[in-house]
Amino acid sequence: MNKSEFGVIGLGVMGKSISLNIAEKGFSISVYNRISDGEESIVSDFLSDNNFFKNITGFANLESFVASVERPRKILIMIKSGLAVDSIIEQLIPNLSEGDIIIDGGNSHFNDTQKRTNYLKNKNIHFVGCGISGGEEGARKGPSIMPGGTVEAYKEIAPILEKIAAKDSQGKPCCSHIGNDGAGHFIKMVHNGIEYAEMQLIAEVYSLLHTSLSNKEIAKIFENWNLGNESSYLLEITAKILRKQEGKNDLIDIILDKAGNKGTGSWSSKTALELGFPNTMMTSSVFDRYISSFKERRVELAQKINRKNTNESVNIEQLKKGYQFARIINHQQGFGLIKEASNFYNWDLNLSEIARIWTNGCIIRSKFMEDSISILKENEDYFEDQNNFNYLNSSEASIIKVLQFGLQNRISLNTLSASYNYWVGMTTKKLPANIIQAQRDFFGAHTYQRIDTDNSSFFHTKWQEL
Ligand code: 6PG
């Protein structure tokens, strides 16, 4: 039997779609899914549903699956992150040979990827933690792919990954070797952190517009914005969402206002906290999802205070400027975190190249991401880019008006506010952190620095007699 060029483990939604993408690009591929209760026919159903592809071979036995892939084996695992990944790695190890490559295409935590990389390195097996973005459609038609691991392993898998990836505006694949060990999964995690804040911003903008406009009218505004600098995939799908009918109703009005999450947003936020980097927007958007989940309590309390809904209208031009202002800050914070982690983990990450592979296939693709390729090539900091800085500076008045409208009308705008407060904090010469330092020194003798001496000296004051 001819050996396959590639193997995929896990025929869930993403695994199926990526397998079909690989097969469509002409590579021979073996697929495997375990047999457990209710999953007996997954492999055979997949093969019969797609029997026009003659280059797919299916297996329900792991040993035969591994044996069917040519060496060095390139095996992509597309299963739920966590313990299941460790378990499949353990099952694979006795069947693999030195130099084989395991690619984890799920949303695994980058610290787990670092551990797995070292563990497998001792067995001379390459491990590639690979971020994949774009959902089901992206996986099928061209995702954005963020592989970490050794350059050596990347060279082996590049011809396939680059072929199945989305293409940027120059026709180059949205796939690039990110950096060592956990770098690929780290980048995907931050992608999701940025995604959370971009989604929350659109939701807040919607809530501001919805005081006086219908869903269709808001869809029209989003479609309009999508023709200019504000355009993005998320804005585009939100306009479509707002136009979706179910019978006579707008479907959006029937969807319960409780947001779920699978954890990557909170991982990003935790990592930012650990690295000491102020990612206030992604963190606030995670908390916004958590607040939304208290639906029953919210309803109860809303009844107690019994406020009327406003029907005042927000100024749409100011809102558009405020929205873009917040998006720039979101990218500043997201890429700032990447830069911070790059130094901390010695990954030597290329911010401009990361922006490039995020211009197509992934969820946060946008016109601004396109612009970010050159911005980050020059400066690696949006505040150093004169055009952006001027935009932020000149649109400050607009976001203030938008926030005032929100405050006056009881519209919760945590993430928009977070962007404004970050900007104000970062552009304020003197912050009240001297108070914090004095308090710390007062109760805990934690010491403080002084403005009338050099920065390297620390002082303690005896604030009161004990
Ligand atoms: C993507 C998405 C994808 C996903 C996550 C986040 O890039 O394709 O980010 O990975 O939607 O599962 O989902 P939650 O909102 O459930 O955390």
Side-chain angles (χ1 to χ4, degrees):
M1 187 180 98
N2 285 341
K3 303 249 182 199
S4 299
E5 294 163 277
F6 202 78
V8 174
I9 293 181
L11 291 176
V13 174
M14 292 292 282
K16 276 182 189 161
S17 304
I18 215 149
S19 300
L20 293 176
N21 184 353
I22 296 169
E24 194 174 69
K25 299 294 173 326
F27 299 102
S28 55
I29 169 173
S30 293
V31 296
Y32 163 84
N33 202 87
R34 67 178 179 166
I35 296 188
S36 57
D37 279 354
E39 290 179 344
E40 289 79 6
S41 59
I42 286 196
V43 177
S44 50
D45 287 353
F46 177 69
L47 294 178
S48 61
D49 290 348
N50 299 290
N51 58 10
F52 40 90
F53 285 115
K54 303 295 171 220
N55 48 350
I56 308 180
T57 319
F59 298 86
N61 175 292
L62 191 68
E63 216 180 313
S64 338
F65 160 78
V66 174
S68 76
V69 182
E70 71 183 22
R71 286 176 58 187
R73 300 185 179 89
K74 303 159 196 79
I75 294 178
L76 172 66
I77 48 185
M78 295 296 293
I79 61 174
K80 201 170 149 18
S81 65
L83 291 179
V85 175
D86 292 310
S87 156
I88 197 77
I89 289 174
E90 285 309 318
Q91 294 170 57
L92 278 170
I93 289 171
N95 297 296
L96 293 177
S97 315
E98 286 196 2
D100 285 352
I101 303 164
I102 301 178
I103 309 155
D104 174 10
N107 276 333
S108 290
H109 194 287
F110 74 99
N111 287 147
D112 289 338
T113 302
Q114 289 174 314
K115 284 183 211 140
R116 288 167 187 149
T117 305
N118 287 332
Y119 175 63
L120 287 163
K121 197 168 156 187
N122 289 331
K123 302 183 186 309
N124 290 321
I125 293 167
H126 294 284
F127 189 66
V128 174
C130 183
I132 300 182
S133 175
E136 184 180 2
E137 191 187 359
R140 179 68 183 83
K141 296 185 182 159
S144 169
I145 309 182
M146 299 148 246
T150 61
V151 174
E152 197 188 339
Y154 184 69
K155 280 190 185 141
E156 291 287 342
I157 57 181
I160 299 181
L161 296 192
E162 293 184 3
K163 195 86 194 251
I164 64 165
K167 303 295 174 285
D168 71 8
S169 60
Q170 310 298 309
K172 281 174 70 184
C174 291
C175 171
S176 183
H177 178 242
I178 302 293
N180 285 337
D181 56 73
H185 275 146
F186 179 87
I187 291 304
K188 176 65 200 324
M189 179 189 79
V190 179
H191 167 284
N192 284 24
I194 298 173
E195 171 187 301
Y196 270 51
E198 289 289 294
M199 292 167 77
Q200 179 63 28
L201 284 176
I202 295 177
E204 291 180 5
V205 165
Y206 169 78
S207 69
L208 287 159
L209 290 166
H210 203 40
T211 56
S212 62
L213 299 177
S214 69
N215 293 322
K216 301 273 175 308
E217 287 166 328
I218 301 171
K220 184 106 197 76
I221 291 170
F222 287 175
E223 283 154 3
N224 232 325
W225 291 3
N226 227 18
L227 301 171
N229 286 334
E230 296 71 27
S231 89
S232 72
Y233 167 74
L234 283 167
L235 198 62
E236 178 192 325
I237 64 163
T238 311
K240 288 184 181 156
I241 288 167
L242 294 175
R243 290 197 180 279
K244 186 80 178 169
Q245 297 276 137
E246 194 179 85
K248 285 201 178 101
N249 299 311
D250 293 352
L251 178 55
I252 195 65
D253 292 337
I254 304 166
I255 296 179
L256 183 66
D257 52 331
K258 247 181 168 180
N261 80 93
K262 294 205 193 78
T264 47
S266 82
W267 290 352
S268 272
S269 305
K270 275 190 221 159
T271 306
L273 285 166
E274 279 160 15
L275 290 175
F277 200 75
N279 287 79
T280 56
M281 293 182 68
M282 60 176 72
T283 309
S284 115
S285 57
V286 174
F287 285 143
D288 283 320
R289 291 195 189 189
Y290 294 173
I291 291 176
S292 80
S293 71
F294 289 88
K295 173 72 177 176
E296 295 73 16
R297 186 76 178 127
R298 290 192 284 116
V299 170
E300 214 175 274
L301 293 171
Q303 271 157 1
K304 273 194 186 162
I305 65 163
N306 194 25
R307 299 275 197 284
K308 279 213 177 71
N309 284 342
T310 178
N311 54 9
E312 280 182 42
S313 313
V314 68
N315 178 309
I316 297 175
E317 265 318 296
Q318 285 169 351
L319 181 59
K320 182 175 163 183
K321 280 201 184 129
Y323 169 59
Q324 190 66 357
F325 172 104
R327 295 189 61 227
I328 297 174
I329 301 287
N330 184 28
H331 287 69
Q332 163 76 1
Q333 293 187 349
F335 279 96
L337 177 59
I338 294 175
K339 195 168 147 196
E340 195 70 17
S342 178
N343 295 337
F344 187 81
Y345 290 106
N346 284 322
W347 280 330
D348 196 20
L349 302 176
N350 180 337
L351 268 51
S352 168
E353 177 65 0
I354 292 166
R356 187 192 69 73
I357 65 169
W358 284 349
T359 56
N360 202 4
C362 74
I363 305 295
I364 57 172
R365 61 188 188 255
S366 69
K367 161 84 172 61
F368 188 63
M369 197 61 84
E370 286 277 352
D371 299 343
S372 296
I373 303 174
S374 56
I375 296 173
L376 296 169
K377 198 175 230 159
E378 294 296 317
N379 291 304
E380 296 205 329
D381 181 340
Y382 291 91
F383 287 173
E384 291 302 315
D385 179 77
Q386 208 48 51
N387 283 340
N388 265 294
F389 195 80
N390 291 347
Y391 184 90
L392 291 167
N393 197 10
S394 65
S395 51
E396 185 178 309
S398 297
I399 190 153
I400 290 173
K401 290 275 183 228
V402 170
L403 293 173
Q404 277 170 345
F405 180 89
L407 283 172
Q408 268 153 11
N409 293 291
R410 294 193 92 256
I411 297 167
S412 168
L413 300 176
N414 281 328
T415 303
L416 270 169
S417 316
S419 74
Y420 171 73
N421 283 313
Y422 173 84
W423 161 255
V424 173
M426 288 299 290
T427 52
T428 294
K429 217 184 218 165
K430 182 151 190 203
L431 291 171
N434 48 344
I435 296 285
I436 310 292
Q437 286 300 79
Q439 291 166 333
R440 293 176 67 239
D441 191 54
F442 191 112
F443 62 68
H446 294 298
T447 73
Y448 56 86
Q449 292 155 287
R450 301 176 61 101
I451 57 169
D452 55 0
T453 60
D454 70 81
N455 275 345
S456 57
S457 312
F458 285 80
F459 298 86
H460 169 58
T461 293
K462 200 161 184 222
W463 295 90
Q464 62 180 5
E465 291 303 325
L466 292 180

